[in-house]
């Protein structure tokens, strides 16, 4: 199937899951994960109505962003990879969202390096919900301290949380991780009522349904839209 057909199928699937929920929630946003994909694939997705794209690698993402800016095409760009200190300037200058903030040092650098003429950078705190040593993200117990710190940075706008739970074939384990994130999201909203905490980014191609059932407001889909990843 084409990228356009894949997008239609994914959007229909999201709508179907939403309609089955006991309490109708906010519309779930689809983030198309375009890492390793050529600009031609992104353009095809855009022509099919997709506006938000996620990139894992800084330099690759910046090159794509600049390409579409030169074409006069406005897209929404999310950085969703692990962010090193020496790459924060490029992210702060070019992306609209950063979903992987996990340290005050990274938050401070993004705040300092965000150009004054741009709107505040939307950020999510990444939680290491499955407590994996190999995964990025902070421990749940440290969430509120980091969130409070971010609210005092004028060039950043805290929007919520993001997680990548450990892959599992056990539905109960999967559900538990997503429910933990849902509870942390509610806790964050209650702790910072004056902030626009409206985004819980969790769920990918294989676990999208459970994520949405547990309150996800944004799913990150790559394979089901663009096909298998291409590595060079």
């Amino acid at each position: 199937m084409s990228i356009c057909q894949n997008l239609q199928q994914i959007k229909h699937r999201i709508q179907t899951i939403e309609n089955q929920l006991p309490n109708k929630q906010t519309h779930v946003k689809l983030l198309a994960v375009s890492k390793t994909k050529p600009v031609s694939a992104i353009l095809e997705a855009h022509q099919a109505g997709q506006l938000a794209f996620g990139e894992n690698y800084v330099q690759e993402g910046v090159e794509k962003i600049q390409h579409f800016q030169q074409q006069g095409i406005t897209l929404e760009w999310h950085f969703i990879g692990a962010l090193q200190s020496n790459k924060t300037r490029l992210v702060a200058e070019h992306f609209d969202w950063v979903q992987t903030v996990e340290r005050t040092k990274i938050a401070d650098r993004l705040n300092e390096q965000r150009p004054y003429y741009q709107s505040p950078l939307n950020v999510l705190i990444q939680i290491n919900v499955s407590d994996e040593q190999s995964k990025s993200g902070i421990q749940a117990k440290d969430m509120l301290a980091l969130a409070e710190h971010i609210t005092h940075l004028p060039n950043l706008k805290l929007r919520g949380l993001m997680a990548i739970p450990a892959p599992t074939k056990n539905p109960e384990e999967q559900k538990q991780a997503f429910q933990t994130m849902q509870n942390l999201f509610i806790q964050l909203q209650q702790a910072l009522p004056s902030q626009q905490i409206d985004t819980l980014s969790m769920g990918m191609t294989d676990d999208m349904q459970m994520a949405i059932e547990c309150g996800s407001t944004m799913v990150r889909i790559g394979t089901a839209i663009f096909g298998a990843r291409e590595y060079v």
Side-chain angles (χ1 to χ4, degrees):
M1 290 197 298
S2 68
I3 288 173
C4 178
Q5 290 171 317
N6 289 342
L7 271 170
Q8 289 175 341
Q9 193 173 72
I10 287 291
K11 289 176 180 177
H12 176 71
R13 190 174 158 207
I14 291 172
Q15 186 67 57
T16 300
I17 298 168
E18 285 181 317
N19 290 340
Q20 292 170 347
L21 296 174
N23 300 312
K24 182 65 177 167
Q25 65 182 59
T26 309
H27 176 68
V28 176
K29 182 170 182 172
L30 174 60
L31 182 69
V33 178
S34 48
K35 63 178 179 181
T36 77
K37 299 301 175 183
V39 293
S40 58
I42 297 172
L43 179 60
E44 189 177 339
H46 167 60
Q47 290 171 339
Q50 181 64 24
L51 295 176
F53 294 87
E55 291 286 330
N56 283 59
Y57 309 115
V58 176
Q59 195 60 49
E60 178 190 342
V62 169
E63 288 172 6
K64 290 174 180 176
I65 291 167
Q66 291 175 330
H67 170 84
F68 285 100
Q69 285 176 338
Q70 289 163 6
Q71 302 299 314
I73 297 173
T74 301
L75 300 174
E76 181 180 286
W77 294 95
H78 294 236
F79 186 74
I80 57 174
L83 183 53
Q84 299 170 324
S85 299
N86 62 345
K87 298 289 180 66
T88 52
R89 180 174 297 280
L90 284 171
V91 171
E93 290 176 348
H94 293 92
F95 283 82
D96 304 298
W97 287 68
V98 180
Q99 296 203 13
T100 50
V101 175
E102 58 170 350
R103 288 181 287 153
T104 55
K105 179 182 178 182
I106 293 294
D108 288 342
R109 288 177 68 88
L110 289 170
N111 178 65
E112 291 163 8
Q113 295 166 345
R114 182 69 169 175
Y116 71 90
Y117 52 83
Q118 290 182 252
S119 57
L121 183 63
N122 296 291
V123 300
L124 302 180
I125 293 173
Q126 182 176 359
I127 305 289
N128 188 346
V129 68
S130 300
D131 201 19
E132 295 177 273
Q133 290 190 343
S134 62
K135 285 275 178 70
S136 300
I138 64 166
Q139 300 294 311
K141 63 181 176 61
D142 300 321
M143 173 189 73
L144 290 179
L146 179 55
E148 190 71 40
H149 182 84
I150 292 171
T151 63
H152 292 95
L153 301 177
N155 298 319
L156 302 186
K157 185 173 184 179
L158 180 62
R159 297 292 295 273
L161 303 176
M162 178 266 214
I164 309 171
T168 175
K169 296 190 182 299
N170 184 327
E172 283 306 310
E173 286 182 5
Q174 188 183 70
K175 185 175 183 179
Q176 184 177 10
F178 286 138
Q179 285 182 330
T180 297
M181 286 303 302
Q182 184 180 32
N183 292 336
L184 289 170
F185 183 58
I186 294 169
Q187 183 183 346
L188 185 62
Q189 288 177 317
Q190 292 173 342
L192 300 171
S194 63
Q195 302 295 313
Q196 187 185 348
I197 309 296
D198 58 5
T199 302
L200 178 55
S201 173
M202 62 182 191
M204 296 184 281
T205 298
D206 293 333
D207 55 13
M208 180 175 74
Q209 177 154 349
M210 183 74 77
I212 295 174
E213 289 174 353
C214 292
S216 172
T217 68
M218 183 186 294
V219 291
R220 308 181 303 271
I221 308 296
T223 305
I225 297 173
F226 297 108
R229 295 176 192 162
E230 297 163 12
Y231 293 102
V232 255

